[in-house]
Amino acid sequence: PYIETSNTMSFLAQLRQNRPNTTQGPKLCYLLQIQEKSKTVKLQLTLAELQQGGLREQGEPYKIQRQHLQHLPPFISEVDINPLQILIETKPNGLPHEAGDLPVEKWLELIPLLLKTQRCFIETPQGSRQKLAPAPPVPVKLVWLPSHTGTFQLSWQADATGKLLYLDAKASYPLLYDAATGLLSLTQHQLNSAAVDTLAQVERYLPASKVAGFLAEHEARWAKVGLPLPKAIPQQQLTAEIHPVLRLASRPHPKRAAGFEGSIELMFRYIGEHYCICIPYDAEQNRLEYWDGIHINHLTRDPQQERVFFRQLQPFIATLKPTDHGGKWLSSERSQWLQLLTESRQELAQQGFSFWIEPGFRHHYVVADQWRVEIDGSDNQALQLSVLLELGDDKFDLLNLLRQLQRFNRQQATNETTLTLPDGRLLLLPTPLVNGIMDELGDLLVNQGGPLRLPRSQIARLDDLRQQLPEATQWQGAVEHLNFAVSLHNIPTLLDQALSGVEAELRPYQWLGVCWLQHLKQHQVNGLLADDMGLGKTLQILAHLSLEQQQGCLQHPALIVLPTSLLHNWALEVERFTPHLRYKIVHGPKRGQSWDKLQDYDLLISSYQLIVNDLAHWQTQKLSWIVLDEAQQIKNPRTQVRQAIQQLESDYRICLTGTPVQNHLGELWSLLDFLMPGCLNNLADFKCHYQKPIEQEANEERMEQLQKRIAPFMLRRTKDQVARDLPQKTEIYQYISLADDQQEFYDTQRNTGSLELQAQLSDSGHDGQQQILLLTALLKLRQVCCDPKLLDAPDISSAKREHCMEMIKELVEERRTTLLFSQFTSMLELLAQDLDALGIDYLILTGQSRNRQQLVEAFQRGDAPVFLISLKAGGVGLNLTRADTVIHYDPWWNSAAEQQATDRAHRIGQDKPVFVYKLIAENTIEDKIAQLQQQKAQISLHINHQAQISGEQFALKLEDLMTLWQQETETT
């Protein structure tokens, strides 16, 4: 051992100043540090407080000072004087940090004194410390121990339990340390001085091949002084198979502070029946030895075959940097290790090469041997999924690895994604595959750990997952759920239309819709029929329910819920197409008289508001189906209607709407969550994962994901898709310049409104209030575009009104029939005055009209060529196929509402081309509204693609309105 000390004068001076001379505080302690390779001990002096047998050091190691032995400081006791004197006498000039070994005889005198202080500790190479106590000396002896390589080593051996440590590098004297008890013992041996001198003159390592020569030279002298002799072990020459091994390791990069470079070394494993020896390619020895416990086995290297393997390896490591060693190469390039361990590894293995990967190798790339999915269906609420990757005998849960990947940016610049396995290996996966799985399951991975829980309402996603995984993936466990999901995605089976009993010939796409509803029923899921308005959703539902009744499946009545204005329409449709179905309209003040008899009917028809009013009664009724017509009525999950409808119990549910998305995607969530609660997760998760990325970030990938999610449960056909069943529809934008006096009035209203609005907005900090102020300001400009008389300016002309009347006169002369829509009922009244003056017959429908159906029938009979309709009143429930022309007098914020109005004429039953005119006041707020409609319709166009989710525009937000106003007021 050697002594480590340092200057601590400043520390001691501070210690004397701040601490009284008491038994408390730090004490001089002795730390024996075990050196891992040599098994020798090094002594360090330190000042430390003793705490429950441990040390709390106070600064740097202590340097011995002679004056401390005359005037003992508080940290030195009487028991420390003798060991300190020995150390000073051994090194009279002091004990600097670089002091060498102490003589063994001094150590033998010093060790007992250190243990006597009760402040002697031992420190292992791993840093753990233990207080030492003395134990009686133990006997030791010298023996020759053979190693597995056939080399003999002369070593000390003790019968007692413990670990032998040595006082010098020559291991001439051992100590015995028992880690279990903390005891340290000196040792005793029977060697005389002559034997000790003899030991100092020989090497303690002896190859087996040199044992015989050693005995011939030293046997007599060693026997005389009592030293043990090695025993000659039988030797034999054996053959062995040679196998090339590539040893891969990492080391810090010499030129990059935070980098590592990898090395690959060619080695050879010589394998016999009971032994294996591995040596580097550039090793110098030609003979290899191995002791099997009985024999020393000798084998000879095969340099010729080694060179053959070396040449075979060359093409695979040509781009790596060679070292001074003949069989070792270096590289810090990821691409080179990727190629070697993935593309080349299998070919190298076929040529006999094996890989020896050292712990900590930074480029250990691997690929999965097998993919496996385990499905646990024991939970009634959700399936548990585990996606396992097999790498040899190891299995890893891919979903747990992907959860780690979610914390970082998963967009990979390369075609492969690297995941770090728990053991440090780098798993390579194709980036498209990883992105596909993350797209399919990312929303479920966020808040989960362990096996992934897939709600049973989302079971269809299993087929989407299947399509993302490798084709050879093995599915185990409750695989019937996968088969169910695959079947759900299949094309519905076409049934015989004659089975339905409907007194009508359904068009092919309509009968496909009926078969689709039957397909959903067979899979016990619900659906959203979202065909464009006018394509016959009512007829499809009646055919479906009739088919149920004909097959004896309508054990309880089906409830059809709809707006009050459509009650009569449905009754007419039932009587026309399915007169064999018994139906009851549950409406009116005497409806309570029917509650006990409702089970006698096939169809029950009631309105949304009455469901709320009669909720307690409906909750007691057994229902086979709930059908919601114009299902956008429940688009807001917080409304009383939506919450009441949700509480009704039935075997199955269907929603009908041509516009499942009118304002935002949350409306679509509300419909599907009514049909199958949880199918799109909760609303907060849906907003985070789909609504915000799609609506605010225009994320097309999320749009595609959403389309796939809802595809099995939503059927939508547009008029474009069934164009052969409908005549052509032509949309024409007509831009009209304002008259001079109207333009001047418009500019005045805009400038005055700008000043007023600026003052009002500065006084309001609430978004809702600001939105109302903006809408009010914009409304005045829109009214000026329609007719200044709407703002009590009777003397100012209206270019659009004059243009519109000219159009109608020509259309009437051409025997065309026209629907004219406006948001403003007062504008309809002005137009009615013009028609009266021209002697043109007309009908008018607004929200105040009480004879809605009679007006529709009168128009369809041809009582008048013009039908004036307010946009709100004419949005749903009207079949006006007699009209061949539609005029939108003023643009509305939501183009979906305009589309609904147009579909009053362009629907099934129409046999003439339909022309749609949109009148726009040029270079005005109307012009900018039309542009905004087109911009916001882009999201809806994406939605309609493939999945065909409807909706032409999302809700106007405060920033949209502000932009409109700023654009308009900046106009010069």
Side-chain angles (χ1 to χ4, degrees), residues 309-335:
F309 285 125
F310 181 85
R311 288 192 295 270
Q312 290 177 349
L313 179 63
Q314 289 302 305
F316 299 97
I317 47 86
T319 59
L320 275 63
K321 175 184 176 182
T323 65
D324 294 337
H325 301 282
K328 191 172 184 179
W329 299 264
L330 301 174
S331 177
S332 57
E333 297 297 327
R334 176 180 183 271
S335 58

Side-chain angles (χ1 to χ4, degrees), residues 555-559 598-599 601-604 622-625:
Q555 299 299 318
H556 301 289
L559 171 62
L598 295 185
Q599 288 296 320
Y601 297 94
D602 298 315
L603 305 181
L604 304 175
K622 292 184 177 179
L623 302 171
S624 58
W625 295 82

Side-chain angles (χ1 to χ4, degrees), residues 441-459:
L441 302 178
D443 58 318
L444 297 176
L445 291 173
V446 175
N447 299 319
Q448 296 188 17
L452 181 140
R453 286 177 54 82
L454 179 68
R456 287 182 178 266
S457 60
Q458 301 180 25
I459 195 171

